[in-house]
Amino acid sequence: MTHQKSVFLETHNINNRTTGFGTFNYELIKGLNQIQFDDLKLYLNSGNPYELKSEFGNKFKYKQYIGAHRYKNLRPLKKYDLWHSVNQNSKIEPRFESKYLLTIHDVNFVEEISSDMNHKKNITFIEKLKKSTAISYISEFAKNQTHQYFDVPKVPEYIIHNGNPISTNLDTSLYTPEIPVDKPFLYTIGDFIERKNYVSIINMMKHIDDLNLIISGNNNKEYGTYIAQFIEDNNLKDRVYLTGKVSELGKQFYLSNCLAFVFPSIREGFGLPPIEAMHFGKPVFLSNKTSLPEIGGEHAYYWDNFDSEYMKQKLIDGLNHFYNNKTEMEFNMKTRAANFCWKKAAEKYLKIYNKCLEI
């Protein structure tokens, strides 16, 4: 019998699926679950491995994550043939030397925390780069950004786009939102962090009387408090609404019923929400920064700057163009979204696992 080689996926962020990393981990596992890998043993790392096992059964092996694993002398004891660090920020590392695949979503920390290569954050990342057998990136932008700031070792590099997290359209007809949806509305969803640039679209709403704006995401953070106060200070509480975190059903309700999806983020390694909106055939208005043009493609609408009157005019022009060509544009959006598939992404990761193990 052929010896099954072991691959450890450092997926502990799966515990928080409202974050980009949590979504990535869960969707990658779901994609891997759809394909065969009989010659490999794939280990998943989770704070609640029993929950994963109840969903995926014996397809995977499961390891219990505990916070202490981030300390060097308390790292996981088992030796694995390949370690997949599924994001660049993970503090969990192998105890023993093994083949090492590093997936990089972005290196925004260089721009947001420190560009000093002696900063602890950068030193930790450089150590990951040095031990890598191969590196994968979730976008062309993420690769270019990494090469811009770091001396990347000469190892195989791959670009694998994320898939669309929405695999099933839920019946939202009985969903009752807690905020008014009697007027046409713009929608956005994401972490409440400064780079999401919510201030720009709220400022834009000062010039738009006949639409509302709905923003979903965990706003129980400092930036969320700031945004709530900003809405109140600008007398927009009757037209700009914060839902807080929403369920999958709630998210699909807002995505499928919005007039347009707006996403003015200034830094994205990838950007999953625009794909979800395109899945429902909605027009998407994005900033032209970082990875978003790569993800949105030629049929999305882009803001080149964040002057509120300019943003409003770009929005109105885009809405007129989209809804005057609604059948064609809806088809374009849905076709674009269908290009992003987690099963295809998982197949590509599996090929990299096998290539790393052959090196």
Side-chain angles (χ1 to χ4, degrees):
M1 181 176 171
T2 307
H3 167 66
Q4 283 183 303
K5 292 196 171 181
S6 58
V7 181
F8 183 87
L9 281 74
E10 205 302 90
T11 52
H12 85 272
N13 287 114
I14 197 170
N15 295 341
N16 188 356
R17 295 179 199 171
T18 62
T19 66
F21 288 155
T23 299
F24 176 89
N25 294 355
Y26 181 59
E27 295 297 338
L28 175 59
I29 291 167
K30 277 180 27 181
L32 289 166
N33 188 52
Q34 297 178 61
I35 56 182
Q36 293 300 313
F37 44 84
D38 298 334
D39 52 340
L40 297 176
K41 282 185 192 173
L42 268 51
Y43 289 79
L44 308 181
N45 194 30
S46 170
N48 192 347
Y50 306 103
E51 181 183 12
L52 285 182
K53 186 164 186 179
S54 70
E55 181 170 359
F56 299 111
N58 296 324
K59 182 90 173 188
F60 302 96
K61 305 291 183 183
Y62 304 91
K63 299 302 287 186
Q64 175 77 51
Y65 161 73
I66 57 174
H69 283 157
R70 63 186 60 211
Y71 299 107
K72 193 168 186 177
N73 60 343
L74 296 173
R75 288 174 177 174
L77 283 168
K78 184 176 168 64
K79 178 171 171 44
Y80 300 92
D81 295 304
L82 172 64
W83 184 283
H84 182 185
S85 189
V86 298
N87 77 68
Q88 71 283 345
N89 292 339
S90 171
K91 294 181 175 67
I92 317 299
E93 294 291 341
R95 179 181 288 260
F96 305 101
E97 188 174 334
S98 65
K99 302 291 178 64
Y100 190 91
L101 171 62
L102 174 61
T103 294
I104 298 174
H105 298 243
D106 62 65
V107 291
N108 287 336
F109 51 85
V110 181
E111 299 169 3
E112 295 179 346
I113 299 175
S114 177
S115 59
D116 177 2
M117 288 299 130
N118 292 313
H119 188 280
K120 185 179 178 181
K121 187 85 173 175
N122 293 326
I123 289 172
T124 301
F125 180 68
I126 290 167
E127 288 173 356
K128 288 176 180 284
L129 287 174
K130 285 180 177 177
K131 72 171 75 166
S132 296
T133 309
I135 301 170
S136 64
Y137 304 90
I138 64 169
S139 63
E140 191 78 52
F141 164 76
K143 179 181 179 182
N144 293 339
Q145 187 192 36
T146 304
H147 278 264
Q148 178 184 348
Y149 292 112
F150 293 95
D151 183 13
V152 179
K154 290 181 168 41
V155 297
E157 296 179 273
Y158 307 90
I159 295 168
I160 303 176
H161 283 153
N162 296 339
N164 173 13
I166 297 179
S167 53
T168 305
N169 286 9
L170 303 178
D171 179 6
T172 62
S173 59
L174 299 179
Y175 180 79
T176 305
E178 295 180 359
I179 57 172
V181 288
D182 51 325
K183 282 173 68 172
F185 63 89
L186 310 173
Y187 184 61
T188 193
I189 184 171
D191 292 337
F192 270 72
I193 47 181
E194 201 164 341
R195 78 169 78 114
K196 297 300 181 181
N197 194 22
Y198 294 142
V199 166
S200 67
I201 48 175
I202 297 169
N203 271 327
M204 178 184 71
M205 293 302 294
K206 295 176 187 176
H207 309 289
I208 301 173
D209 296 326
D210 50 350
L211 299 176
N212 287 344
L213 169 64
I214 298 173
I215 305 174
S216 292
N218 181 10
N219 58 319
N220 296 327
K221 302 178 182 179
E222 185 179 350
Y223 188 64
T225 303
Y226 170 74
I227 289 297
Q229 189 62 51
F230 188 80
I231 292 168
E232 187 160 348
D233 291 346
N234 285 279
N235 299 315
L236 290 168
K237 286 193 77 173
D238 61 340
R239 291 197 293 113
V240 179
Y241 297 93
L242 306 181
T243 69
K245 289 163 69 170
V246 288
S247 64
E248 181 65 22
L249 185 66
K251 179 180 74 172
Q252 290 200 25
F253 171 86
Y254 291 118
L255 285 170
S256 58
N257 286 285
C258 68
L259 187 69
F261 185 80
V262 290
F263 202 69
S265 177
I266 57 174
R267 289 191 188 92
E268 291 292 328
F270 188 79
L272 287 170
I275 296 173
E276 296 177 307
M278 290 190 287
H279 171 80
F280 288 103
K282 298 298 178 176
V284 294
F285 292 81
L286 315 173
S287 82
N288 69 342
K289 312 293 182 194
T290 63
S291 68
L292 291 176
E294 181 181 347
I295 305 310
E298 62 179 322
H299 297 297
Y301 303 97
Y302 297 97
W303 287 303
D304 299 333
N305 66 71
F306 303 113
D307 173 79
S308 57
E309 293 197 15
Y310 157 80
M311 290 182 74
K312 171 218 170 176
Q313 195 55 52
K314 195 79 175 176
L315 177 80
I316 299 303
D317 291 347
L319 289 173
N320 286 335
H321 174 263
F322 186 94
Y323 285 102
N324 285 335
N325 302 277
K326 188 167 183 279
T327 302
E328 177 190 354
M329 292 302 294
E330 278 188 351
F331 175 80
N332 290 339
M333 293 293 103
K334 291 178 179 180
T335 301
R336 179 71 181 170
N339 287 333
F340 299 95
C341 171
W342 278 111
K343 182 182 178 185
K344 291 177 183 175
E347 287 169 344
K348 292 175 181 177
Y349 280 106
L350 197 61
K351 284 181 181 176
I352 298 177
Y353 295 166
N354 285 310
K355 286 180 180 178
C356 286
L357 291 165
E358 290 167 4
I359 293 173

